[in-house]
Amino acid sequence: MSDQPEQSVSSPTLHVVVIDDSKMKQRFLKAILENEYIVHTFSSVKEAKPHLEEIGPVCFLMDMERPGEDPVASIRTIKDNPKLSETPIIMITPTSDVETEQRVLECGCDDYVGNRFAREIIKTRVNHLVELFEFRKNLEKRVAQKTQSVMELQDAIMLMLSDLVECRDTLTSGHAQRTRDYMECLVCQLQANNHYVKELHEDFVRDLVRAAPLHDIGKVGIPDAILNKPGKLTEEEFEQMKRHTIIGAQAIMHTISKVHDNSFLRVLRDLAMSHHERWDGKGYPLGLQGESIPLSGRIMAIPDVYDALVSERPYKKPFTHEKAVSIIKEGIGSHFDPFIGEAFLDCELQFRYIALNQQEAGEASS
Ligand SMILES: [Fe+2]
Ligand SMILES: [Fe+2]
């Protein structure tokens, strides 16, 4: 194993806690371990408890028979503390028969030694458990660091992709980022209203907010003449434009087939495919109705429409916030999911705030 505990000839840095009511045994155990560990001795768990978190031990050595303290309750006191629950405990037992061994291990101890232990046995057992403990701690740290860097990479790739979509779609500049902010606000309100509680768990919400800027990713497959046409689209052009939902979903499905189960990509696929569906079934591309539309698409529909309404287009002036709210309000139950529409009405002022902020940021940078 590569992650050895620090057992140098210099001062020890790792802490071991000995809990034993016999002062003589405390001194004996301390003498065995103090070359390699900083040893703290206590007569009972009750006495040790207030100091344990600060000490941060890498191992406990605990006498099984202490007056006034039940060994099982003692172990639970330690294991129930999240900061100590992984710290190994070695129980010193009065006998070393099978029954005692079973009892000790069932209590949640990691190892045990009989009362007539040899110095080397104690040292080896402690070293072995500390080594495992430290290894596991380092491993968890490394996994957390790796996960963090994968998330950062995903965010960077998504930012790059949404920039690419925006580069092509010059008429809706800033739409991707704004819809992300609206989405975050709307999901928070849905949670506050206690709607879709089961579906809106932490992982789903995180994926949803991160995926929002890419909902129009399929627009990269729409010809420039249509995507950037400075006027209303003809019926035929609009039919082509509708295909951005399918183009986006297909590209993401292709990616899904290449990677092991990835919740983010599944959310993104649903979002890209269904953000133009309508609650009454009159949307596109599939004409899905009600709850058969993925929740991600039902939520996305509102930020998407709100942003289109309050933004300027070559063929229309921006609507005021009030007008946009009244149009969305009218669409609740026909265009929009009633619960999501209700949540929008509860947080529409925050939408206005986001829109104003983004507008000011855009003016400042131009
Ligand atoms: Fe779209
Ligand atoms: Fe959009």
Side-chain angles (χ1 to χ4, degrees), residues 12-248:
T13 55
L14 299 175
H15 299 255
V16 167
V17 165
V18 171
I19 300 174
D20 199 312
D21 60 301
S22 156
K23 293 286 175 201
M24 196 185 76
K25 227 155 80 202
Q26 282 183 9
R27 280 197 296 275
F28 181 57
L29 289 165
K30 190 169 182 176
I32 295 173
L33 297 168
E34 68 186 351
N35 279 346
E36 294 170 31
Y37 301 98
I38 301 164
V39 182
H40 306 260
T41 56
F42 298 96
S43 299
S44 63
V45 170
K46 194 177 167 199
E47 186 199 341
K49 198 179 167 193
H51 310 282
L52 293 179
E53 283 189 22
E54 197 186 329
I55 292 171
V58 291
C59 187
F60 287 95
L61 266 168
M62 192 187 292
D63 183 31
M64 190 167 182
E65 291 195 324
R66 282 166 288 112
E69 277 194 347
D70 172 54
V72 178
S74 300
I75 291 162
R76 284 272 54 92
T77 303
I78 292 168
K79 294 286 180 188
D80 286 349
N81 182 333
K83 289 187 177 157
L84 302 169
S85 61
E86 300 294 321
T87 311
I89 302 174
I90 300 175
M91 192 65 97
I92 301 167
T93 61
T95 54
S96 38
D97 52 70
V98 175
E99 206 178 302
T100 311
E101 180 182 354
Q102 195 177 353
R103 189 168 163 234
V104 163
L105 295 175
E106 277 172 2
C107 291
C109 274
D110 300 83
D111 203 353
Y112 78 102
V113 286
N115 222 346
R116 293 186 182 164
F117 48 79
R119 292 176 71 91
E120 284 313 309
I121 293 287
I122 284 284
K123 270 173 82 166
T124 308
R125 296 262 168 102
V126 171
N127 286 347
H128 177 66
L129 284 178
V130 170
E131 198 176 301
L132 272 174
F133 176 63
E134 291 288 287
F135 179 75
R136 204 161 51 197
K137 253 191 352 193
N138 285 333
L139 197 64
E140 280 169 11
K141 211 157 86 186
R142 269 186 248 159
V143 168
Q145 281 167 348
K146 274 268 177 252
T147 308
Q148 178 66 23
S149 70
V150 168
M151 297 279 275
E152 282 169 8
L153 182 65
Q154 268 191 7
D155 281 342
I157 291 172
M158 280 181 298
L159 190 65
M160 181 182 76
L161 284 171
S162 66
D163 280 353
L164 281 174
V165 177
E166 296 235 307
C167 268
R168 293 253 8 255
D169 185 2
T170 54
L171 298 182
T172 60
S173 174
H175 176 66
Q177 186 54 44
R178 287 192 299 270
T179 48
R180 183 197 182 283
D181 295 346
Y182 296 138
M183 171 66 97
E184 195 165 21
C185 167
L186 190 53
V187 170
C188 279
Q189 189 63 50
L190 271 169
Q191 288 175 317
N193 290 5
N194 277 325
H195 286 138
Y196 300 119
V197 176
K198 219 172 85 200
E199 292 89 341
L200 293 176
H201 52 81
E202 195 186 333
D203 290 350
F204 179 74
V205 168
R206 189 198 56 222
D207 288 342
L208 193 56
V209 173
R210 293 172 81 219
L214 292 175
H215 68 279
D216 278 330
I217 190 168
K219 282 188 176 175
V220 292
I222 302 298
D224 275 346
I226 295 175
L227 195 60
N228 294 317
K229 183 178 173 180
K232 264 202 151 172
L233 298 179
T234 65
E235 212 170 298
E236 195 186 319
E237 287 166 340
F238 187 54
E239 284 307 310
Q240 278 206 61
M241 181 63 125
K242 284 178 179 178
R243 293 198 65 250
H244 78 274
T245 51
I246 296 170
I247 294 168

Side-chain angles (χ1 to χ4, degrees), residues 306 309-310 319-332 336 344-345 347-349 351-352:
Y306 175 84
L309 290 171
V310 298
F319 288 122
T320 62
H321 169 78
E322 290 72 18
K323 178 75 180 161
V325 171
S326 96
I327 291 172
I328 291 175
K329 193 175 177 183
E330 232 167 84
I332 294 175
F336 307 110
F344 167 73
L345 295 179
C347 65
E348 47 98 357
L349 285 176
F351 270 58
R352 170 150 65 180

Side-chain angles (χ1 to χ4, degrees), residues 335-354:
H335 191 154
F336 307 110
D337 176 324
F339 286 143
I340 302 170
E342 183 192 314
F344 167 73
L345 295 179
D346 290 338
C347 65
E348 47 98 357
L349 285 176
Q350 290 176 60
F351 270 58
R352 170 150 65 180
Y353 180 74
I354 293 167

